[in-house]
Amino acid sequence: MNKLHEFTNGLVGTSQKRSKANLLVAGRGTYLDDLRLGQHYHIAFYRSPFARARFALGDNSHVEALPGVYKVISGRDLLSVCGAWVTSLALLPQHVSAPQHPLAIDEVFWQGEPVVAIVADTRAQAEDALDAIDIDWEELDPVVDAELALMPSAPLAHPAIESNLALERTVSNGDVDGVFENAPFVVSHQFSFGRQTGVPLESRGVVAQFDARNNSLVVYQSHQSPFQMQEIYSRQLGVPLSSVRVICPDVGGAFGIKLHAYPDEMAAVAIAKLLGITVKYQADRLESFVSDAHARDAKATASLAVDEEGTILGLRFDVLFTFGAVSLYPRSSVGEALQVLEMCGSAYRIPARQGRVRGAFVNKVPTGAYRAVGQPLAAAIIEQLLDNAAAAAGIDRLQIRRKNYVSASDFEAVPNEQLSNLSLQQCLDTLAQDTGFQSYIQRQKAADNDTAYVGVGLCTFIEQTGVGAGLYGRNGVRVAGKESVRLQLQADGSFYCATSASENGQGAHTGLAQIIADTMGCALSEVVVCSGDTQNDPLGGGTWASRGIALGGEAALRASQTLKANLLAIAAAWKGFDPKHLQLQGSAVIDASGEVVCTLAELAYTAHYDSTQVPLRDLPPLAVERSFAPSDKPYFLANGIQAAAVKVDIETGEVKVLDFWVVEDCGRVINPMLVDEQVRGGVVQGIGAALYENCTYSETGQMTNASLADYLVPMASEMPDIKVLHVSTPERETLLGAKGVGEAGTVGAIGAIWSGVNDALRPVGVAVEKQPFTPEHILSSVLRARHQ
């Protein structure tokens, strides 16, 4: 356990605007499409119109004669520069994915899989040429339903696999059968979680430059993990790692969608090497729906056993996930299922627990990471069961949670430092004391009129944050578990920080700057933080798993402490002081009486340009690099509780979110404003999942709502007031004490709204089981209940 660092200069813990916000709002950001790199070609992809088919390419020389067209590229053309890749996990050998190519060869396995690339002077010319492609199709029978995919007679989603069963894992402890046989109350629920995709404001894309003279590759990419992609391009294209540079400029949102190595992006980079040219590819919104990773898409049955006082006796759950045709590279598609297995019920004392998760390969877009990876499903399942148990036993819903939370005393015999460092009771108490929340509790039983019912939903959540090397490293996946910073004193007395903790709009750079400025005793404006360039930045993981401040911030604090000691040692030797009597404050070195010994600018000038004035044999470094990854645990645990007040009209099926509360504990809060807005943004995505977003498919594997005209996302008019409250339990392993917060809002929002809708409908004997809770689903549930 580390002693919490004390900040003394008043920046950490205060709300500060994102350093680049004014530029972005003024339209002066530099996103991928803003890059101008001289002469380059554009790529458009011919994508499969079928979920499962064979194809034969004809003679397409006529296409290359069209205006502006430079080259038509097939999958076989790229074999000479880029081989197939296979997603695998060392600790999960039973998860066997089919090989993947940049462009399909002979067969396709989902609607939207890239088949042919057109390289042309402009994107418009490349798109026009797609209509002239000569290709013959033989449509085959797809498998698009997970339950049917696991039947013995089902066709294989891909001929390279032996079974459509992509994953099966179980967990069991305690006498589950005995508990459920003898429990006074056993409640059950069925869950159907809709298929989603991330819909970031900026679509995926790459600009790739290959120079055959020195076998070097430069890739500009809208991505979350530049060092991951550097390693992949090096290995797949046979270019030395030191000759591959990946640059991520401003990234307009990602949410996990931009964590993978996609076939179309791999194809674009491979084409740059094959032809020795600069190429650009950026997905349009329509193709993004059938090429970006999908997520969620699971069905579950679950039961909870409790005694007469509402004490949990046992939990059972069985969850089946619908993956895609392959497992996305390199992180795989199994994360959500494994998270549900690990996290379902983790906030509660459950003496007997039996769970199973499975995943099936089907002929749909591959699934992958999406904000909070599986944790929203785990939370929704246990929270709805607790509501059902409270109703069955006649117990208050807050009380049944309060009495079953895990606490430090539960781990006296077998220590569990992570779970014992939670603040579940405090978060619930903070919520219960909010007068706005209490007003809804008092009115929830009454309908506003004859058809509109108000309900209050609850969802306790635990969020895995700051995930370290224990996740990917042991699985043989080359994704760095650490985050790093390189901090240096500039010649003018300001500070420059290069970091692996990349910025996707969440404000991580501002938080790092606050930590550095507070430690170095300077103004926030005197710290510049940059990231997103594998040539200039220290190695690290990037943006995922709420790690920018939890890990990158710890690295920044440690680097700042070391550089601060170096600067004080230089100043002390130069001016004849004991360094123990010096401090940094107000962009200057001060003595014990508060008198200025020298300014940082003077110190920087002397150390960089006139170091002979400093009577030290070896001048301490003016640039310091530090990395941090959790050592004693695989991740940090943040926690909290969410509540949603909803109104459900049983005549129209409309669900309106009236108010929303989040009480969260992410340890030490570095920037309250940015924390609150991250929470609110996560809640909005959770509301979208609960009420609107769903990738729908036909029986032949065609996505039927692949546009923003049909795939609904929440707008400002649908958003309630989201009140964010805080409890702070610092992380014990770090000096900084911060845990991640980027996914907290999403973890609990689906469960809170699920709980709220069913709380509203309980007086009329209705329970919804299928998310999103569309008017059609509400109405069908009401009609079904009326006819029972």
Side-chain angles (χ1 to χ4, degrees):
M1 183 185 300
N2 288 297
K3 183 179 179 180
L4 195 67
H5 177 77
E6 183 180 354
F7 290 94
T8 59
N9 285 308
L11 276 173
V12 167
T14 65
S15 293
Q16 303 289 334
K17 295 180 180 178
R18 283 192 291 153
S19 56
K20 206 173 181 180
N22 289 339
L23 285 176
L24 298 179
V25 170
R28 295 178 60 194
T30 303
Y31 297 93
L32 192 77
D33 201 42
D34 296 317
L35 297 177
R36 298 293 180 263
L37 301 176
Q39 182 182 8
H40 65 275
Y41 294 90
H42 294 260
I43 293 177
F45 290 100
Y46 183 102
R47 297 182 179 275
S48 171
F50 303 107
R52 183 79 172 87
R54 297 189 184 96
F55 67 90
L57 288 171
D59 179 5
N60 284 293
S61 57
H62 65 287
V63 181
E64 294 180 353
L66 293 175
V69 175
Y70 175 60
K71 201 72 175 175
V72 178
I73 302 293
S74 70
R76 294 193 184 280
D77 294 330
L78 294 181
L79 287 175
S80 62
V81 293
C82 183
W85 57 89
V86 177
T87 303
S88 63
L89 300 172
L91 300 182
L92 198 65
Q94 66 269 39
H95 177 61
V96 179
S97 177
Q100 300 171 58
H101 293 272
L103 296 174
I105 299 176
D106 299 332
E107 294 184 77
V108 292
F109 305 101
W110 73 88
Q111 178 209 7
E113 183 174 2
V115 177
V116 177
I118 304 290
V119 184
D121 290 336
T122 68
R123 170 76 184 219
Q125 289 171 326
E127 289 183 346
D128 289 344
L130 294 176
D131 294 333
I133 292 291
D134 183 6
I135 185 170
D136 291 327
W137 290 98
E138 178 190 355
E139 189 173 1
L140 304 175
D141 291 332
V143 55
V144 297
D145 179 87
E147 293 179 3
L148 296 178
L150 298 184
M151 296 180 66
S153 59
L156 290 175
H158 198 294
I161 58 177
E162 296 181 356
S163 168
N164 289 328
L165 182 62
L167 171 75
E168 182 170 14
R169 292 292 292 270
T170 60
V171 63
S172 182
N173 63 273
D175 181 14
V176 177
D177 291 339
V179 162
F180 274 85
E181 183 177 348
N182 298 305
F185 298 102
V186 173
V187 295
S188 300
H189 202 82
Q190 293 185 339
F191 303 83
S192 177
F193 299 95
R195 193 177 186 92
Q196 287 181 259
T197 188
V199 201
L201 286 175
E202 181 197 24
S203 61
R204 292 184 298 105
V206 295
V207 176
Q209 299 174 310
F210 182 76
D211 191 335
R213 295 170 298 180
N214 59 1
N215 194 29
S216 66
L217 175 67
V218 178
V219 179
Y220 296 82
Q221 187 163 6
S222 183
H223 203 273
Q224 297 172 244
S225 188
F227 283 101
Q228 168 195 297
M229 297 311 299
Q230 179 196 34
E231 197 278 332
I232 289 173
Y233 292 138
S234 171
R235 183 155 33 89
Q236 289 300 128
L237 300 174
V239 180
L241 187 67
S242 59
S243 297
V244 178
R245 182 182 184 185
V246 176
I247 302 170
C248 296
D250 290 329
V251 176
F255 313 123
I257 297 302
K258 297 177 182 176
L259 271 178
H260 309 289
Y262 289 93
D264 46 21
E265 294 172 339
M266 294 289 289
V269 180
I271 289 170
K273 182 181 181 185
L274 178 70
L275 302 180
I277 59 175
T278 300
V279 298
K280 180 178 183 178
Y281 164 68
Q282 186 143 31
D284 65 29
R285 187 62 66 187
L286 294 177
E287 64 182 330
S288 291
F289 275 107
V290 292
S291 63
D292 286 3
H294 289 183
R296 315 305 193 213
D297 200 354
K299 293 182 178 179
T301 58
S303 300
L304 190 69
V306 301
D307 65 15
E308 291 90 344
E309 286 75 38
T311 301
I312 296 175
L313 303 174
L315 169 68
R316 279 176 170 158
F317 60 91
D318 192 344
V319 190
L320 175 60
F321 281 81
T322 302
F323 296 157
V326 294
S327 187
L328 275 179
Y329 190 71
R331 299 168 185 250
S332 86
S333 299
V334 303
E336 292 215 283
L338 296 178
Q339 287 284 63
V340 169
L341 189 66
E342 180 177 358
M343 299 297 289
C344 190
S346 58
Y348 299 95
R349 292 187 302 273
I350 302 177
R353 181 172 178 260
Q354 184 179 75
R356 178 176 72 159
V357 295
R358 293 173 295 159
F361 287 125
V362 302
N363 296 116
K364 291 182 179 179
V365 174
T367 58
Y370 180 52
R371 197 172 192 171
V373 186
Q375 296 171 88
L377 284 63
I381 289 170
I382 186 64
E383 295 297 307
Q384 183 59 59
L385 290 175
L386 282 167
D387 280 359
N388 294 353
I395 299 171
D396 178 76
R397 292 190 299 149
L398 287 174
Q399 183 59 28
I400 198 172
R401 288 166 170 82
R402 181 180 283 110
K403 76 178 303 176
N404 285 293
Y405 282 149
V406 295
S407 63
S409 62
D410 297 318
F411 305 105
E412 292 176 354
V414 181
N416 186 317
E417 196 276 335
Q418 287 179 283
L419 290 175
S420 65
N421 195 35
L422 300 176
S423 57
L424 301 167
Q425 298 282 1
Q426 298 96 310
C427 289
L428 185 145
D429 291 342
T430 301
L431 173 68
Q433 293 163 10
D434 185 271
T435 56
F437 171 76
Q438 285 297 336
S439 70
Y440 278 105
I441 290 289
Q442 295 167 9
R443 66 180 278 203
Q444 64 178 314
K445 299 302 180 184
D448 280 0
N449 51 50
D450 292 337
T451 65
Y453 291 80
V454 173
V456 177
L458 297 167
C459 187
T460 297
F461 67 90
I462 295 179
E463 179 195 2
Q464 292 183 5
T465 79
V467 177
L471 177 61
Y472 290 118
R474 292 183 301 156
N475 273 299
V477 179
R478 299 189 179 200
V479 175
K482 65 180 181 179
E483 294 303 339
S484 307
V485 302
R486 185 185 302 115
L487 179 64
Q488 64 186 58
L489 176 69
Q490 302 280 75
D492 64 353
S494 65
F495 296 91
Y496 177 81
C497 173
T499 178
S500 62
S502 51
E503 175 69 64
N504 288 175
Q506 70 274 47
H509 283 186
T510 302
L512 296 182
Q514 288 178 255
I515 293 166
I516 295 167
D518 204 314
T519 306
M520 305 310 292
C522 66
L524 191 61
S525 60
E526 294 178 321
V527 179
V528 174
V529 181
C530 294
S531 66
D533 188 339
T534 59
Q535 181 170 289
N536 297 328
D537 301 336
L539 177 64
T543 296
W544 49 278
S546 302
R547 54 194 285 115
I549 296 299
L551 303 190
E554 180 70 8
L557 174 57
R558 295 185 182 199
S560 299
Q561 289 179 321
T562 302
L563 184 55
K564 176 181 178 179
N566 291 352
L567 298 184
L568 293 179
I570 294 171
W574 177 29
K575 297 294 185 180
F577 281 83
D578 185 334
K580 292 186 296 186
H581 298 151
L582 299 180
Q583 191 54 264
L584 295 179
Q585 183 177 307
S587 298
V589 179
I590 62 172
D591 63 17
S593 66
E595 292 295 319
V596 173
V597 174
C598 63
T599 67
L600 280 176
E602 292 168 341
L603 177 61
Y605 178 88
T606 300
H608 281 292
Y609 301 127
D610 195 13
S611 58
T612 57
Q613 292 194 47
V614 183
L616 290 173
R617 180 169 181 176
D618 294 309
L619 200 70
L622 301 175
V624 174
E625 183 172 324
R626 291 290 181 270
S627 300
F628 179 76
S631 57
D632 297 332
K633 57 183 70 172
Y635 45 72
F636 302 147
L637 285 181
N639 69 270
I641 188 169
Q642 299 188 17
V646 302
K647 181 166 67 176
V648 183
D649 192 313
I650 61 173
E651 292 298 320
T652 66
E654 180 186 9
V655 177
K656 182 174 178 60
V657 184
L658 303 172
D659 272 302
F660 207 101
W661 297 263
V662 181
V663 183
E664 67 79 40
D665 184 348
C666 63
R668 192 203 304 253
V669 175
I670 306 302
N671 186 318
M673 178 175 65
L674 295 182
V675 165
D676 289 0
E677 295 314 309
Q678 278 292 296
V679 171
R680 291 188 176 100
V683 167
V684 169
Q685 286 193 292
I687 291 173
L691 299 181
Y692 307 108
E693 299 183 47
N694 190 21
C695 300
T696 59
Y697 276 83
S698 71
E699 294 181 355
T700 59
Q702 300 289 310
M703 187 175 172
T704 59
N705 64 335
S707 77
L708 285 175
D710 301 298
Y711 182 94
L712 302 181
V713 295
M715 307 293 282
S717 58
E718 281 87 40
M719 290 306 99
D721 179 43
I722 302 171
K723 185 174 184 179
V724 183
L725 306 168
H726 298 279
V727 170
S728 180
T729 308
E731 171 54 44
R732 297 169 180 170
E733 186 174 331
T734 66
L735 302 171
L736 184 62
K739 306 171 185 178
V741 73
E743 298 171 300
T746 306
V747 175
I750 293 176
I753 293 177
W754 201 310
S755 169
V757 169
N758 279 337
D759 184 53
L761 294 174
R762 199 174 293 277
V764 292
V766 176
V768 295
E769 299 176 341
K770 183 178 180 181
Q771 160 263 316
F773 309 124
T774 61
E776 293 81 2
H777 179 52
I778 298 292
L779 292 175
S780 64
S781 299
V782 171
L783 290 174
R784 186 166 57 250
R786 286 175 175 174
H787 289 90
Q788 287 179 346

